[in-house]
Amino acid sequence: VPISCVWVRCRGQQNPASGNVQQNSSSAGRYLFPLILALRQLPSYGSAAGTNLEIPATDSASAATAMACGSKTDKSRIAWAPQDIGPDVPLTSITEMARQQRGMAIGIVTTVPFSHATPAAFVTHVKSRSDYQAIAEQFISIAKPEVVIGGGHPAGAGTTFLSTAQYQALQDSTDYLFVERGAGVDGGAALLAAAQTAAQNRRRLFG
């Protein structure tokens, strides 16, 4: 089966003398390094540099900004222009363009906390990836994606990614149908049931 696109983010380093990629010691490096070597054996392959504007190795915020907005930026910035080049303004993401120009619904589904840098770059705009609660507020009150599914529940992460007030606002929300894990409850089944209910009642889903 032809492979149309494979996105690999790994901090393997290229030996300048031999040109060979060297494996690093991170868990990502151990798992992805064999895949990188396999991809290099294909008849055709390409690569793209993912560095930010300050340091050779990018961080999740600037990498996600490049993917979502098509523009490089400084480290830690999420969908925000670099501070020393042009106006210091938010950048428009592909999801925002899909909604504004095509009237499309948008959704963010992630295995990390929803207010982490990578998912955040597609719908929010902040100058620091560490402003988790500011990111969460933009998700809930401003961007309002039709679907948000991710981690960051206060029961497991405290109030780092979602404040107590924001959590209560989601529980009481009339915009979102809010579903969360519970003891003895199959999370996948609960999420599926909530998704069906949200679709029937034309509500947004937050899980």
Side-chain angles (χ1 to χ4, degrees):
V1 177
I3 299 174
S4 58
C5 178
V6 176
W7 177 271
V8 177
R9 181 167 180 253
C10 181
R11 292 189 177 90
Q13 296 181 333
Q14 187 172 32
N15 185 314
S18 66
N20 294 327
V21 177
Q22 299 173 324
Q23 181 180 6
N24 66 16
S25 60
S26 72
S27 59
R30 289 197 300 273
Y31 288 113
L32 295 178
F33 188 69
L35 174 59
I36 294 172
L37 293 182
L39 290 174
R40 294 188 68 174
Q41 305 307 311
L42 295 173
S44 300
Y45 73 92
S47 62
T51 56
N52 62 37
L53 294 176
E54 297 177 282
I55 55 177
T58 189
D59 74 322
S60 297
S62 53
T65 295
M67 289 190 291
C69 306
S71 177
K72 291 188 177 184
T73 190
D74 301 329
K75 65 179 180 180
S76 293
R77 291 195 163 204
I78 293 178
W80 203 285
Q83 57 184 343
D84 297 327
I85 303 176
D88 190 23
V89 296
L91 299 170
T92 302
S93 71
I94 189 171
T95 46
E96 292 171 318
M97 293 173 65
R99 174 183 273 177
Q100 294 166 4
Q101 298 178 14
R102 300 293 182 90
M104 301 175 75
I106 59 176
I108 301 295
V109 180
T110 177
T111 57
V112 300
F114 74 95
S115 54
H116 243 244
T118 302
F122 289 84
V123 292
T124 70
H125 307 272
V126 294
K127 296 183 180 181
S128 174
R129 60 176 296 171
S130 299
D131 292 338
Y132 295 116
Q133 293 186 8
I135 293 170
E137 189 61 34
Q138 288 190 34
F139 261 95
I140 298 166
S141 303
I142 299 175
K144 294 184 178 180
E146 278 69 22
V147 174
V148 181
I149 300 173
H153 193 284
T159 56
T160 300
F161 304 108
L162 185 69
S163 72
T164 301
Q166 290 166 340
Y167 175 55
Q168 292 174 343
L170 282 172
Q171 290 180 312
D172 298 335
S173 175
T174 55
D175 283 325
Y176 280 107
L177 177 59
F178 183 58
V179 58
E180 53 190 322
R181 289 181 179 274
V185 177
D186 185 314
L191 189 59
L192 176 59
Q196 293 171 337
T197 301
Q200 291 170 358
N201 295 304
R202 303 185 67 82
R203 293 183 64 188
R204 293 179 170 90
L205 175 68
F206 203 112

